[in-house]
């Protein structure tokens, strides 16, 4: 098994991979967090080790699933909801919608918190964004919505003549 910092930086391709990495981070955090500060609906956690203080991104207490059993139940309901969306095109219940929000928020914030704690801040920001793109791609793939990468080629004039600006789009619906 990869070390947690390396696993967080590795691209993810399945919902199971996202669930497992979030679970690992959630198990790791209590071991390294020193204290926290509550502000409105958010908690800001602090890790102090070897005279180094690290703050992790604020966590919304209403959305974040802290309890391990609840997180596991949320994962099961999330998978069932995605299957329902894919196969029946039925509307989601309010419970399913709330679970979608909380489950995806917990996955993404857990990954971000783990990267905040274990990886250089500049690299961390890049990886958080990459994992978010991958997570959204996985969710859309799970419900059967294809998303394609395309490169737009946009010509523009310069003093040296016409040049082409290339812009990659990763999500098109």
């Amino acid at each position: 098994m990869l070390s947690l910092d390396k696993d967080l930086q590795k691209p993810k391709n399945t919902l199971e991979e996202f669930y497992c990495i979030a679970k690992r981070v959630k198990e790791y955090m209590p071991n390294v967090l020193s204290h926290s500060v509550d502000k409105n609906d958010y908690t800001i956690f602090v890790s102090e080790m070897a005279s180094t203080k690290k703050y992790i991104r604020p966590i919304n207490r209403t959305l974040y699933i802290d309890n391990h059993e609840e997180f596991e139940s949320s994962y099961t309901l999330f998978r069932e909801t995605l299957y329902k969306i894919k196969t029946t095109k039925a509307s989601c219940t309010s419970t399913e919608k709330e679970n979608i929000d909380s489950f995806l928020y917990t996955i993404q914030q857990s990954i971000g918190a783990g990267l905040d704690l274990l990886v250089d801040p500049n690299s961390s920001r890049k990886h958080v964004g990459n994992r978010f793109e991958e997570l959204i791609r996985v969710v859309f793939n799970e419900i059967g919505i294809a998303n394609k990468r395309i490169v737009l080629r946009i010509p523009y004039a310069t003093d040296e003549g016409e040049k082409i600006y290339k812009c990659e789009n990763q999500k098109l619906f």
Side-chain angles (χ1 to χ4, degrees):
M1 178 183 285
L2 287 174
S3 64
L4 184 55
D5 63 323
K6 298 291 185 225
D7 200 5
L8 283 161
Q9 295 176 76
K10 180 178 169 250
K12 307 288 177 255
N13 299 304
T14 67
L15 201 51
E16 180 74 15
E17 287 179 299
F18 279 104
Y19 171 72
C20 289
I21 191 67
K23 189 174 164 186
R24 282 185 71 192
V25 171
K26 288 167 64 53
E27 290 167 354
Y28 170 78
M29 286 194 328
N31 299 321
V32 296
L33 297 177
S34 309
H35 62 279
S36 64
V37 177
D38 290 340
K39 179 84 171 161
N40 299 324
D41 290 335
Y42 290 86
T43 301
I44 300 169
F45 291 96
V46 181
S47 173
E48 292 183 70
M49 290 190 289
S51 71
T52 301
K53 189 182 266 192
K54 290 186 178 184
Y55 294 89
I56 67 168
R57 61 200 60 234
I59 302 290
N60 183 300
R61 290 187 307 276
T62 306
L63 288 172
Y64 192 82
I65 305 165
D66 195 38
N67 180 282
H68 296 297
E69 290 78 26
E70 287 177 30
F71 186 55
E72 188 173 335
S73 296
S74 178
Y75 177 53
T76 301
L77 178 57
F78 186 76
R79 291 200 67 103
E80 291 168 357
T81 303
L82 292 184
Y83 182 77
K84 173 183 166 181
I85 292 168
K86 181 178 182 174
T87 59
T88 67
K89 310 296 186 217
S91 296
C92 294
T93 66
S94 59
T95 300
E96 290 168 331
K97 288 177 187 177
E98 289 170 12
N99 186 65
I100 290 169
D101 291 346
S102 290
F103 181 75
L104 291 176
Y105 181 84
T106 302
I107 293 283
Q108 188 60 29
Q109 289 300 89
S110 295
I111 290 170
L115 287 162
D116 289 344
L117 291 167
L118 296 167
V119 179
D120 170 73
N122 291 327
S123 182
S124 172
R125 285 189 288 276
K126 173 185 170 257
H127 286 290
V128 169
N130 289 346
R131 295 304 81 79
F132 180 72
E133 287 179 11
E134 294 158 7
L135 177 59
I136 298 305
R137 183 180 316 116
V138 164
V139 169
F140 279 102
N141 286 340
E142 287 279 326
I143 60 176
I145 296 176
N147 52 85
K148 303 172 189 171
R149 285 186 167 180
I150 66 164
V151 177
L152 300 176
R153 298 173 50 86
I154 304 169
Y156 65 96
T158 70
D159 292 341
E160 296 88 39
E162 187 175 276
K163 292 194 175 187
I164 303 290
Y165 172 73
K166 295 179 184 176
C167 176
E168 182 178 357
N169 289 297
Q170 297 177 350
K171 306 287 178 259
L172 289 179
F173 304 104

